[in-house]
Amino acid sequence: ALAGVEALVRWPHPRLGLLLPEEFVVLAEQSGLINRLNRWVLGIVLEQLAAWRRAGIETPISTNISVVNLQDPVLYQYIADGLRAREVKPSRLRLEITETTVMADPNTALAAVKRLSELGVRFSIDDFGTGYSSLLYLREMPLDEIKIDRSFIANLARDNNDAIIVRSTIDLAHNMGRVVTAEGVEGQQSVDLLTRWGCDKLQGFYLSPPLAIEDLNLKLSTQNWNPRPSSTAN
């Protein structure tokens, strides 16, 4: 069943073509535009959640935020007001942060995550396993979900070390009451292994390619469209 979707920002540049976040987010941060970009994305996400609520669709949406966004003094009020004005349940909004984001400013990150979590917003750690302080903030932060980085999933069927890391991470997260999502799932072998190990959700092109919202809405309205069990569309 479809467990949720993730909002991905892209820039259709008139000369350079379609640009991915890693190609322009740093520029947005350096130019001081990153908080405006973040609020723009959040506004679109909240509007979509409201539209789905009216249509009887309760699918949550995840979106990424950076350390600069967490430092934005109006972030909390912007989200709180946006949820209230659109009558959207806070739990339908899921914010993804990375280990790098946390370590860039641990105190600010912890305070911002705790405050928004108390509002009811859900939090995920994205790209889990690529940083150096995972256990520290797993203990301290009110996280709901751990997303295992795609670098551990790509060779899952061929690399025993990756398999051990993934299985151990799933067990650790479950013992701490966290949901586990595997990113970058690109084949049936990975689906079978992760399902056998009890991974809660799977995400990747094999399950669903990135879709424009119009295409996603069309598929959601099609009775015979059913992503593989516990998948998260991009």
Side-chain angles (χ1 to χ4, degrees), residues 123-171:
F123 276 88
S124 304
I125 279 289
D126 199 14
D127 303 336
F128 184 81
T130 58
Y132 300 97
S133 61
S134 308
L135 296 180
L136 175 62
Y137 59 68
L138 270 184
R139 183 189 67 192
E140 298 294 335
M141 284 195 162
L143 303 169
D144 301 282
E145 178 184 32
I146 292 172
K147 303 185 75 173
I148 302 175
D149 187 69
R150 64 185 62 247
S151 62
F152 297 104
I153 306 299
N155 299 309
L156 201 57
R158 299 183 298 275
D159 191 316
N160 189 53
N161 287 331
D162 282 349
I164 291 171
I165 291 171
V166 170
R167 292 185 69 177
S168 299
T169 301
I170 292 172
D171 289 342

Side-chain angles (χ1 to χ4, degrees), residues 23 41 45 52 58 84 86 105 120 154 156 165-166 170 172 174 178 180 182 202 208 211 223:
E23 299 175 280
V41 172
V45 167
W52 279 349
E58 297 295 336
R84 183 168 51 253
R86 295 170 178 84
D105 189 347
L156 201 57
I165 291 171
V166 170
I170 292 172
L172 172 65
H174 283 167
R178 268 66 167 185
V180 184
L202 312 178
S208 173
L211 299 170
Q223 295 299 316

Side-chain angles (χ1 to χ4, degrees), residues 192-203:
D192 294 341
L193 286 171
L194 290 162
T195 301
R196 187 190 313 159
W197 298 337
C199 189
D200 302 290
K201 294 187 288 184
L202 312 178
Q203 180 176 354

Side-chain angles (χ1 to χ4, degrees), residues 36-58:
R36 289 177 61 185
L37 174 62
N38 179 57
R39 290 178 213 151
W40 177 73
V41 172
L42 282 171
I44 292 175
V45 167
L46 293 172
E47 284 293 335
Q48 188 58 52
L49 286 170
W52 279 349
R53 177 188 57 77
R54 292 190 294 270
I57 299 172
E58 297 295 336

